[in-house]
């Protein structure tokens, strides 16, 4: 069956996404994208203008998916901060598990300036949301709310780096990883629980 323009565009994005995850931007080529999709090179150029164009769309879509998931995890203003931390950690690990190719692409340095920026700027967007939550909680507890930015960067960085490690390790299990992340973030090294579990899973 002949594909519609929309179907062909999606097919090319799927093929390119897998190729960029496998080889990276520099090693992937329009020729290989076209070959794997069973089309000629001009079809790729017609839809995306070249490798940079299709890469930018792939990156933007992945960043949007990840940011949306974590934003939703942090959106409950009435939830306890520890539960929000659990949800955010689980959201990132869910994304890594369900969109492995996408995450592999995101954690590489992006050679293209995209609408949503690099993976680093994505983490800054997430950290800003966490900063707001921490700022409210710090004020309630009499802590200096100006330190919320420092703590939010620390938390997001810890979860993101652990996520990059877990991308290949995949052990321990996802919820165990999230539980240990929350354990460290919430209790600190001096008050680690021996066998942490997510409260939302009890």
């Amino acid at each position: 069956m002949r594909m519609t323009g929309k179907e062909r565009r999606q097919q090319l994005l799927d093929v390119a996404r897998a190729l960029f995850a496998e080889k990276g931007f520099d090693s992937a080529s329009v020729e290989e994208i076209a070959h794997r999709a069973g089309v000629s090179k001009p079809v790729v150029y017609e839809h995306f203008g070249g490798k940079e164009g299709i890469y930018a769309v792939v990156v933007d879509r992945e960043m949007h998916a990840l940011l949306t998931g974590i934003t939703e995890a942090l959106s409950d203003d009435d939830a306890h901060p520890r539960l929000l931390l659990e949800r955010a950690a689980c959201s990132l690990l869910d994304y890594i598990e369900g969109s492995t190719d996408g995450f592999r692409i995101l954690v590489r340095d992006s050679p293209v300036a995209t609408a949503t920026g690099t993976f680093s700027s994505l983490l800054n967007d997430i950290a800003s949301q966490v900063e707001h939550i921490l700022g409210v909680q710090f004020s309630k507890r009499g802590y200096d709310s100006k330190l919320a930015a420092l703590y939010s960067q620390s938390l997001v960085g810890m979860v993101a780096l652990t996520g990059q490690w877990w991308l290949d390790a995949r052990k321990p299990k996802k919820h165990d990883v999230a539980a240990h992340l929350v354990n460290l973030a919430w209790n600190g090294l001096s008050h680690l629980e021996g066998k942490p579990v997510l409260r939302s899973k009890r």
Side-chain angles (χ1 to χ4, degrees):
M1 292 180 61
R2 184 178 178 84
M3 289 186 180
T4 65
K6 184 178 181 180
E7 290 170 338
R8 177 65 71 192
R9 180 180 172 85
Q10 185 59 52
Q11 181 215 21
L12 291 171
L13 284 170
D14 291 341
V15 168
R17 180 178 183 267
L19 186 60
F20 289 135
E22 177 187 333
K23 294 189 171 185
F25 177 83
D26 290 335
S27 298
S29 67
V30 171
E31 289 87 350
E32 190 163 3
I33 293 171
H35 176 72
R36 291 191 183 190
V39 300
S40 62
K41 284 171 53 179
V43 174
V44 180
Y45 287 113
E46 177 187 343
H47 282 277
F48 298 100
K51 185 172 74 168
E52 291 81 3
I54 195 169
Y55 183 85
V57 175
V58 169
V59 169
D60 281 349
R61 286 188 172 193
E62 294 302 325
M63 292 178 78
H64 177 73
L66 178 53
L67 183 59
T68 298
I70 293 180
T71 298
E72 290 175 354
L74 296 172
S75 63
D76 187 355
D77 293 335
D78 297 324
H80 190 278
R82 175 167 178 155
L83 185 58
L84 292 177
L85 181 59
E86 289 183 4
R87 290 174 181 171
C90 286
S91 179
L92 175 63
L93 295 174
D94 284 343
Y95 172 80
I96 294 172
E97 184 177 58
S99 301
T100 298
D101 281 353
F103 192 71
R104 287 190 192 283
I105 293 168
L106 287 182
V107 296
R108 289 191 173 104
D109 288 336
S110 170
V112 181
T114 63
T116 48
T118 63
F119 185 59
S120 177
S121 70
L122 173 69
L123 295 182
N124 283 329
D125 288 344
I126 296 169
S128 293
Q129 296 182 50
V130 175
E131 179 184 348
H132 171 71
I133 294 169
L134 288 180
V136 172
Q137 295 300 322
F138 278 22
S139 295
K140 286 182 178 179
R141 290 165 170 75
Y143 301 139
D144 185 356
S145 61
K146 293 178 182 177
L147 292 174
L150 185 156
Y151 280 93
S152 66
Q153 291 288 340
S154 300
L155 287 170
V156 171
M158 179 180 71
V159 174
L161 283 173
T162 303
Q164 291 183 47
W165 164 78
W166 189 72
L167 175 65
D168 294 313
R170 295 302 170 100
K171 289 181 180 179
K173 293 180 180 179
K174 178 175 62 179
H175 286 122
D176 290 336
V177 173
H180 283 282
L181 278 169
V182 174
N183 185 30
L184 175 58
W186 193 259
N187 296 311
L189 287 172
S190 62
H191 295 92
L192 287 179
E193 298 171 354
K195 295 182 179 180
V197 295
L198 300 179
R199 295 187 178 186
S200 56
K201 298 296 177 185
R202 287 176 177 168

